[in-house]
Amino acid sequence: MLNDTIVALSTPRGKGGVAMLRVSGADAVRICETVFEPCQGKKLSDFSARYAIYGRIYAMDPDGTRVEIDDGVATVFRAPASFTGEDTVEICCHGGILLTETILSAILAAGARAAEAGEFTRRAFLNGKMGLSSAEALGNLLEAGSREQILLAHSGMRGKTERRSNEIYARLRHILASVYVCIDYPDEDLAELSREEILEGLVSCEKEIRALAETYRTGHAVAEGIQTVICGRPNVGKSSLYNQLVGREAAIVTEIEGTTRDVLTESTHLGRVTLRLSDTAGLHETSDRVEQIGIDRAQSALEDAELVLAVFDASVPPTSEDVSLCERLKDMSCAKIAILNKSDLSDGGDASFYTAHFTHTVSISAKEGQGMDALEALVERLFIDGSLDIRSDAVLTNARQHAAALKALRLLEAATASLSEGFPVDVCCSDAEGAMEALAELDGRAVSEDLVSEIFSHFCVGK
Ligand code: GDP
């Protein structure tokens, strides 16, 4: 499958000034020569790589006649100096829907196969052009919806995470080499590192992996988003807050209780943090069956939350429903912020009641849009590590990378613990080797075929 030549439209399907078709594989140039003729009378293969070649584009009529249908620009890339690492031709034509489909069909008829989702990037990975975390970062770059997500994805694509894990991997390999010398020649003084230095080296690798694993808190908040639930009794301003956060009138706001019956969810950005935001039905006693279903859904959304925005009407004293929400949230370990809403109305509430129940409180007026800056600053403080520069530091951005880093960390902790307890150096070998394997999983050198397929299937066709 790796040997055949694939083709896809790499620009979105639709009418536009220009569209780009990408052909990659050993036969890319030969196949493209059947649809593209350079104007200077030469063939594509006569040109040097990476030149923009102007020419005519041909397709076949149903009766088999070759017909000129467009003109455009082709660029040839020669293996391994291409995105995929294979011979690649990129043909830019005019961006008509039927036109690009016709050219695509002509390339397929000439012997290429339609690329699967993510197949170009998958080939780049399999041909060693990029590591798995760089490929994942590229996927994130295509999906990026905030400036912060762009910066993070771009830096990941440059291979920051792989370089970091490779550095730690190389140090572990160096340490293990000394361990094996100690084991093989116990009576001779051949090892480059002493027992103390081996322990020191492992402890410092452990520290670095821990620091790398901790970057996921920020990477998760920016790249994946924090599961955030807005809750509170009816009419406190949950939907108004939801609308403020998503920047449009997405949820219905009325003074009628029970307006929000289902859980509304969408992704939005608050400063540098991405929120996977859910507005929920007001929590209270009701005899309305439909509303009760909404309340049950609100309860289960709360169970999965990483951040709860508990909304209260701060212009009136807390009601029994407010009190029971505070009680309910008390035992939840996720981040919780009490939103003291309706700050534009006269202050008839009891702010001290909320400060007694919550570590974090923010006063806002969801109606007037006041106080949102303070909420943004607080959420950033809770989820973004201010000492991290996402443009230059290695940052883990998904659960797969985090799990691999944690696995490496646990194994190294075990290795250093046994050495510190005075066990002979060979005791740490299998744990240290396991940690190296986990690091290799992080950048994709040691992952299963299934996992690779799963990761690339989330890409679009043509990437
Ligand atoms: P929900 O039931 O908790 O979702 O509350 P809504 O967002 O639907 O708001 C209920 C009522 O409170 C509506 O009439 C809103 O206009 C009003 N409201 C919401 N936030 C504020 C606020 O900050 N100040 C004032 N004065 N009214 C608000």
Side-chain angles (χ1 to χ4, degrees), residues 139-349:
N140 289 347
L141 189 62
L142 303 186
E143 300 288 334
S146 73
R147 180 177 174 275
E148 211 63 14
Q149 286 184 328
I150 292 176
L151 296 177
L152 181 60
H154 180 257
S155 125
M157 220 180 76
R158 295 261 160 259
K160 295 258 157 52
T161 307
E162 269 126 34
R163 270 200 297 285
R164 194 76 205 92
S165 77
N166 281 342
E167 280 161 13
I168 307 173
Y169 183 94
R171 289 182 53 200
L172 281 175
R173 194 176 45 201
H174 180 234
I175 296 168
L176 266 180
S178 281
V179 175
Y180 283 121
V181 173
C182 287
I183 296 170
D184 293 341
Y185 307 99
D187 302 325
E188 295 167 54
D189 197 14
L190 292 174
E192 202 181 312
L193 303 175
S194 65
R195 184 198 161 86
E196 289 65 39
E197 285 167 333
I198 289 170
L199 178 58
E200 250 169 51
L202 289 177
V203 166
S204 114
C205 288
E206 180 193 320
K207 240 167 89 183
E208 287 180 29
I209 296 178
R210 183 173 295 110
L212 184 62
E214 277 168 6
T215 63
Y216 180 57
R217 195 167 70 90
T218 301
H220 170 65
V222 175
E224 294 179 318
I226 302 294
Q227 206 71 45
T228 306
V229 173
I230 301 178
C231 65
R233 67 175 164 84
N235 266 343
V236 288
K238 298 180 297 299
S239 296
S240 304
L241 172 62
Y242 183 88
N243 290 346
Q244 279 291 341
L245 289 168
V246 300
R248 61 193 172 83
E249 299 296 308
I252 303 167
V253 172
T254 69
E255 66 298 340
I256 305 161
E257 283 194 2
T259 317
T260 305
R261 293 176 161 226
D262 210 343
V263 178
L264 277 184
T265 300
E266 73 185 275
S267 198
T268 189
H269 305 279
L270 184 60
R272 289 178 286 164
V273 178
T274 303
L275 301 180
R276 300 162 81 86
L277 189 64
S278 299
D279 184 20
T280 60
L283 300 171
H284 71 136
E285 293 296 325
T286 180
S287 52
D288 182 320
R289 249 185 71 217
V290 180
E291 202 189 355
Q292 187 56 50
I293 295 171
I295 293 171
D296 293 344
R297 289 188 182 174
Q299 307 274 16
S300 60
L302 267 180
E303 281 158 27
D304 298 330
E306 295 171 83
L307 169 65
V308 173
L309 301 176
V311 186
F312 302 97
D313 180 346
S315 67
V316 293
T319 66
S320 58
E321 285 154 346
D322 294 325
V323 175
S324 53
L325 176 60
C326 293
E327 284 301 315
R328 159 114 223 264
L329 295 179
K330 205 167 66 188
D331 297 328
M332 284 180 59
S333 59
C334 68
K336 291 164 280 189
I337 302 175
I339 306 288
L340 311 187
N341 191 33
K342 308 200 184 184
S343 64
D344 55 300
L345 298 179
S346 62
D347 182 9

